[in-house]
Amino acid sequence: SNARIDEILTSLGFERVRNSASGSSFAIPSWRALDVKEAADLAEEVARIHGLDKLPDVPIKATQADFDKDAFQRIEELRTQLAYAGLFEIVSVSMMDEAGATKDGVFAASDLIRVSNPISAELAVMRPSLLPGLLNAVRYNVARKNPNLGLFEIGHVFCANPEKFPEERDELAIAITGCVHPERYSAERCIQLDFFDLKGVLEAILMKRRLASYSFVPAEDPRFVRTCCAKLLIDGKEAGVLGEVAPALAKGMRLNSKLFVAIVQLDRLFAAKERSQYYVPVSLYPSVTRDIAFVAPSSLTNGQVLEFVRKERIPYLESASIFDVFEGEALGPGRKSLAYSFVFRSSERTLTDDEVNALYEKLRRRLAEGLKVELR
C-alpha cells in the first residue's frame, strides 16, 4: 500500500516533500546520494525492505537488442573461443605447390586456382584447404621435440570448381596430438589425446554459439582413417569433417601419437540458426540416479538413444548419459551392451523412492518396447 511505501522510505531516511493523488516525491538523504538517482532506485529500496519473496511473478515481454555482426567480428569472436579451449593459432602461406594441394585426395588439379606468375613451383597454386599448412606446422613442431600440440588456423581457401566449393571461402582447421597432461606424472602423464577430445572442442564452440541443431554422424573421407571419421551437420547440412588423419598424410611426420584434425566451413557455421536461451533456476532438492543397461544392435547409436529418451518426456528426468559400451564374443556378432545413467530431480520437492522407482520401471519398459533392446 502507499502508506507502507511511505513508512519504509521515511524509515530509511528519505523525506517526503510532496504527496498527491498522482504520487509522492522524496528528498534523498546525503549519505544515499551516490546510489539513489531515480524512481527505480526508490522501488528497489521498498522491495528490499518489504521482501523480494513477497513480490508477485508477472510475465513480461522483452525484445533482445541485436546487431548484424560482420565477418571480421564473427571470426575474431571464434578466435577467442578457440584460444579459451586451449589451442594456439598458426598462420600459413596462402600459396603452395600443386602436389601438396592434391595429396589429400579431395581436390584434383582442375580444382586449383593457379598463380599467373609464381615465383617458384612451391607457390604455384592457391591453397584449396587449410589442411596442408596445418600438417606442415605439426611436422615442424614434432621434428623439434614439441609433440603435444593443439593448433588451429582460420583463413581464406580457394577452389576453381563451383560444384565443390565457392571460388573463395573461409575455413577453420584444428589439429591435436600428443598427451592430455604432459606436465603431470605417472599414468596421468601418458593419457593420449583422442577423437573425443577434438569432438569436445567443436562441441564447446557450437554450444557457445547456441546453435539450434547440430549433430555428428559417421563418415568416410580419404583424408581420415575410415573407422575414425565423422561429419558435422548443422541444420541438417554438412558443415565439416573430423577424424584421425590417414596414414598416407601422416607419413614421415615422426608422430609418437595419433593426429586428429577437424575442418569446418565457416559460412555454414555463421549462417546457422541459434536457439533461444532460457533461465532455469537450480533446484534446491537432491537428485536420484538410476542406471539401465541393455543389449542392442551394433547399429544403434548413442544419439538415437538420447533422442528417444528426450521424446518420451519422462517426468522429473533431468539428464541421461552413457557411461559404458561393451562389444565381445559373449554377446554375439552385431550386438553390443550399452549402459546409461539417468538422473531424476524435482524443482519443488524431494522425490520419494517409490516415485523414482515407478519412473525408472516406466523408462525401462519404454526402452525395451520402443528401441527393441534386451534389458540386462
Side-chain angles (χ1 to χ4, degrees):
S1 64
N2 289 341
R4 176 59 176 155
I5 292 174
D6 289 347
E7 179 185 350
I8 290 173
L9 290 176
T10 53
S11 68
L12 294 174
F14 295 88
E15 181 183 355
R16 189 173 64 187
V17 297
R18 185 179 63 84
N19 185 23
S20 65
S22 61
S24 300
S25 297
F26 291 85
I28 302 170
S30 59
W31 62 87
R32 298 299 304 276
L34 293 178
D35 62 324
V36 178
K37 302 292 185 182
E38 54 187 346
D41 298 321
L42 294 181
E44 183 179 354
E45 295 298 314
V46 173
R48 180 172 64 87
I49 300 302
H50 179 67
L52 294 173
D53 58 319
K54 297 178 182 178
L55 300 180
D57 292 332
V58 179
I60 62 172
K61 292 184 178 180
T63 301
Q64 182 178 355
D66 197 6
F67 62 95
D68 188 17
K69 298 178 182 178
D70 59 26
F72 176 79
Q73 290 172 310
R74 292 178 183 274
I75 288 176
E76 286 303 306
E77 185 180 70
L78 180 59
R79 279 196 173 98
T80 301
Q81 293 168 358
L82 290 163
Y84 285 163
L87 305 178
F88 292 90
E89 185 176 11
I90 68 164
V91 179
S92 58
V93 180
S94 298
M95 294 173 287
M96 59 184 306
D97 63 291
E98 181 178 329
T102 57
K103 185 178 179 180
D104 59 9
V106 174
F107 296 95
S110 58
D111 299 329
L112 306 179
I113 294 179
R114 302 179 184 279
V115 179
S116 298
N117 187 24
I119 59 176
S120 69
E122 286 74 25
L123 302 173
V125 300
M126 304 300 293
R127 61 185 180 189
S129 171
L130 296 179
L131 180 60
L134 195 64
L135 294 180
N136 285 337
V138 173
R139 180 183 293 105
Y140 184 92
N141 278 270
V142 171
R144 286 156 180 78
K145 308 301 181 182
N146 185 22
N148 305 306
L149 300 170
L151 307 176
F152 78 92
E153 182 173 11
I154 299 174
H156 295 306
V157 291
F158 310 85
C159 181
N161 185 355
E163 295 183 0
K164 286 187 176 180
F165 293 104
E167 182 175 333
E168 184 176 353
R169 67 191 190 282
D170 289 317
E171 196 171 75
L172 162 66
I174 302 172
I176 63 171
T177 184
C179 297
V180 180
H181 299 294
E183 75 283 359
R184 297 188 182 178
Y185 62 94
S186 190
E188 291 184 346
R189 188 177 182 182
C190 301
I191 299 175
Q192 301 285 310
L193 290 163
D194 61 17
F195 173 86
F196 296 102
D197 291 301
L198 178 60
K199 180 172 176 279
V201 170
L202 288 180
E203 287 178 324
I205 299 301
L206 299 174
M207 291 175 65
K208 180 69 175 178
R209 301 189 65 83
R210 305 203 314 269
L211 297 196
S213 174
Y214 66 87
S215 60
F216 296 88
V217 297
E220 292 186 14
D221 189 292
R223 296 169 290 188
F224 301 99
V225 175
R226 183 176 181 182
T227 56
C228 188
C229 178
K231 288 190 297 186
L232 167 62
L233 302 181
I234 298 179
D235 296 334
K237 300 177 180 178
E238 184 175 348
V241 62
L242 66 153
E244 181 186 348
V245 172
L249 293 178
K251 185 178 181 180
M253 296 179 68
R254 304 182 191 175
L255 294 170
N256 296 323
S257 307
K258 295 180 179 179
L259 174 62
F260 300 91
V261 167
I263 302 172
V264 179
Q265 306 305 319
L266 294 188
D267 57 340
R268 293 283 171 83
L269 178 63
F270 293 153
K273 298 177 183 177
E274 295 185 1
R275 69 177 185 273
S276 300
Q277 190 170 22
Y278 299 96
Y279 167 73
V280 179
V282 177
S283 176
L284 301 177
Y285 301 95
S287 63
V288 181
T289 303
R290 293 287 188 272
D291 296 340
I292 298 179
F294 52 82
V295 177
S298 298
S299 58
L300 183 67
T301 65
N302 175 54
Q304 291 173 323
V305 175
L306 295 180
E307 180 65 15
F308 176 83
V309 172
R310 185 187 66 82
K311 289 182 177 180
E312 289 299 311
R313 298 185 181 276
I314 302 296
Y316 305 120
L317 180 60
E318 184 179 73
S319 65
S321 58
I322 188 170
F323 67 86
D324 185 63
V325 179
F326 173 76
E327 293 182 275
E329 296 180 359
L331 298 176
R335 287 159 59 87
K336 63 182 178 182
S337 173
L338 302 175
Y340 286 81
S341 180
F342 297 93
V343 178
F344 298 88
R345 191 201 305 262
S346 170
S347 60
E348 302 173 348
R349 58 187 175 82
T350 299
L351 297 175
T352 65
D353 284 341
D354 291 339
E355 288 177 307
V356 175
N357 291 336
L359 295 172
Y360 171 71
E361 292 300 329
K362 179 180 180 180
L363 180 56
R364 283 173 58 89
R365 289 196 303 270
R366 295 280 181 85
L367 288 170
E369 296 169 1
L371 295 179
K372 308 300 180 184
V373 297
E374 178 186 335
L375 297 174
R376 303 184 67 183

